């Protein structure tokens, strides 16, 4: 991960609105990933903010963590998801959005 494009736990918490404990939980659950510094501190790629926004939106429409994990697993791991990636995923839960 390029060190110029990483965020600390507190930066991600501030920008996403999620508590640091939620970030650690989502990491344990495999919903987001973090790298570690030599001192063991977590560092997140900037793209984690989009994943967290998706987690919040999906939770707001009633998706379970298992459903969210399944949807996020279809996203590319090597690049930031595009608008078409998100569109494809949201099509899977369109019914819930319509409700």
């Amino acid at each position: 991960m390029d060190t110029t494009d990483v965020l600390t736990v507190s930066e991600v918490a501030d920008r996403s609105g999620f508590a640091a404990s939620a970030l650690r939980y989502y990491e344990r659950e495999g919903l987001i990933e973090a790298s570690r510094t030599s001192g063991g501190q977590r560092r997140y790629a900037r793209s984690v903010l989009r994943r967290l926004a998706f987690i919040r939106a999906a939770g707001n429409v009633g998706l379970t963590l298992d459903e969210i994990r399944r949807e996020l697993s279809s996203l590319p791991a090597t690049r930031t998801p595009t608008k078409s990636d998100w569109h494809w995923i949201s099509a899977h839960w369109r019914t819930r959005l319509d409700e």
Side-chain angles (χ1 to χ4, degrees):
M1 193 178 310
D2 181 0
T3 57
T4 61
D5 198 30
V6 295
L7 302 169
T8 65
V9 171
S10 61
E11 289 171 325
V12 173
D14 288 344
R15 293 179 185 195
S16 69
F18 284 102
S21 58
L23 300 176
R24 290 188 297 274
Y25 173 73
Y26 290 149
E27 185 182 347
R28 276 193 314 274
E29 291 294 312
L31 300 174
I32 62 174
E33 292 181 7
S35 62
R36 300 290 180 135
T37 66
S38 59
Q41 296 175 335
R42 286 176 172 84
R43 294 294 186 263
Y44 295 95
R46 219 169 269 288
S47 61
V48 77
L49 295 172
R50 289 186 184 183
R51 291 178 76 89
L52 290 167
F54 175 81
I55 291 167
R56 184 176 306 281
N60 286 344
V61 297
L63 269 69
T64 66
L65 283 183
D66 283 337
E67 290 171 314
I68 293 169
R69 183 182 302 104
R70 193 169 35 253
E71 295 294 349
L72 287 174
S73 71
S74 69
L75 290 176
T78 58
R79 65 171 170 77
T80 301
T82 64
K83 183 178 177 180
S84 65
D85 292 328
W86 293 119
H87 178 73
W88 185 83
I89 282 178
S90 67
H92 290 146
W93 39 285
R94 177 74 55 202
T95 302
R96 288 189 184 171
L97 287 173
D98 292 341
E99 291 173 359

